[in-house]
Amino acid sequence: MSIIIPALNEVAAIAATLAPLQGWRERGVEVILADGGSLDGTLEAARAGVDRVVSSVPGRSVQMNAGAAVARGDYLLFLHADTTLPAAFAGDIDHWATRQVAWGFFPVRLSGAGVVLRVVERAMNWRSRWTAVATGDQCLFVRRDLFRQLGGFPAIPLMEDVAMSKQLRRLSAPHIEAQPVVTSSRRWERRGVAKTVALMWWLRLAYFFGRDPGRLAKIYYPDTTPDEP
């Protein structure tokens, strides 16, 4: 398996993300950092903990495609720089091929405390199971040959994970891992839980009805470049 981590100025989070992966590297799991031009020391903090660094223009889909282009694993797993994989997952990797798993994702747990965040993560997990559509926080994984057959992630600044999931679900149902990944709740804490949930649902609905992902990205990233992962 190859784990591909898109990053842009993630020095505060990258070490914690990479630390649990070091034992897997000893078992042959490849870890690739796909950097979009970090200027905060992300590369220096990550270099010893990855097998390869690739650079590209900023943009999550572009960066993940750049990492996938050099990956050698039979499966590609796309891991956000502020997300931690469950330790128990390591034992499942060897069984994907025998189970003929084509693609899948994880349930998610938000890092923050509080009942409201527990409700949000339960809603996210219910939605993804019901729709067979994963968000990037849920660590999409897919067979490398299938990923390349589909042409990789579409070159859009937002909703690339949704677009890929919709392509994949036409081919087969997803395999959903039992243990959740833990992803940072910083987005909800910074913007407010209710506001963030409402915004994310509105963006999904707008995308469903054909709104341009570029325009949606400007709404989602009002204070940063829309190419930021």
Side-chain angles (χ1 to χ4, degrees), residues 18-222:
L18 292 175
L21 306 182
Q22 301 314 300
W24 298 7
R25 291 177 67 200
E26 296 175 2
R27 295 179 50 190
V29 173
E30 179 182 45
V31 179
I32 300 171
L33 182 75
D35 186 71
S38 296
L39 300 174
D40 67 343
T42 295
L43 289 175
E44 292 76 10
R47 199 173 296 277
V50 301
D51 298 291
R52 186 160 185 172
V53 174
V54 295
S55 299
S56 76
V57 297
R60 184 171 282 147
S61 62
V62 177
Q63 291 171 230
M64 292 190 294
N65 285 340
V70 302
R72 296 175 294 182
D74 294 328
Y75 283 91
L76 309 177
L77 186 150
F78 299 94
L79 174 67
H80 284 187
D82 62 353
T83 301
T84 305
L85 288 166
F89 163 66
D92 292 341
I93 299 172
D94 297 332
H95 301 294
W96 282 356
T98 57
R99 296 174 186 170
Q100 297 184 327
V101 171
W103 73 287
F105 53 86
F106 292 77
V108 66
R109 181 175 175 84
L110 300 176
S111 62
V115 175
V116 175
L117 289 178
R118 302 290 77 80
V119 173
V120 170
E121 67 194 25
R122 283 175 181 247
M124 291 171 64
N125 292 330
W126 175 83
R127 176 204 49 76
S128 61
R129 285 182 178 274
W130 182 62
T131 62
V133 172
T135 65
D137 292 327
Q138 293 178 277
C139 298
L140 183 77
F141 53 86
V142 58
R143 278 202 336 258
R144 183 182 60 173
D145 60 337
L146 181 57
F147 181 82
R148 292 181 175 175
Q149 175 186 325
L150 294 174
F153 287 102
I156 54 178
L158 195 68
M159 301 292 178
E160 76 289 334
D161 43 10
V162 173
M164 175 58 73
S165 294
K166 288 183 175 181
Q167 290 188 72
L168 289 166
R169 75 181 181 182
R170 296 189 189 106
L171 304 177
S172 70
H175 171 76
I176 303 176
E177 284 288 323
Q179 297 296 317
V181 297
V182 177
T183 193
S184 173
S185 57
R186 60 185 178 179
R187 178 172 43 189
W188 287 267
E189 293 165 350
R190 182 174 65 243
R191 292 176 170 171
V193 174
K195 184 178 180 180
T196 301
V197 170
L199 175 62
M200 293 173 73
W201 276 101
W202 183 87
L203 291 169
R204 284 180 173 278
L205 188 63
Y207 178 72
F208 176 79
F209 283 108
R211 289 287 297 272
D212 175 32
R215 293 186 177 182
L216 298 180
K218 292 178 181 178
I219 297 171
Y220 188 63
Y221 300 110

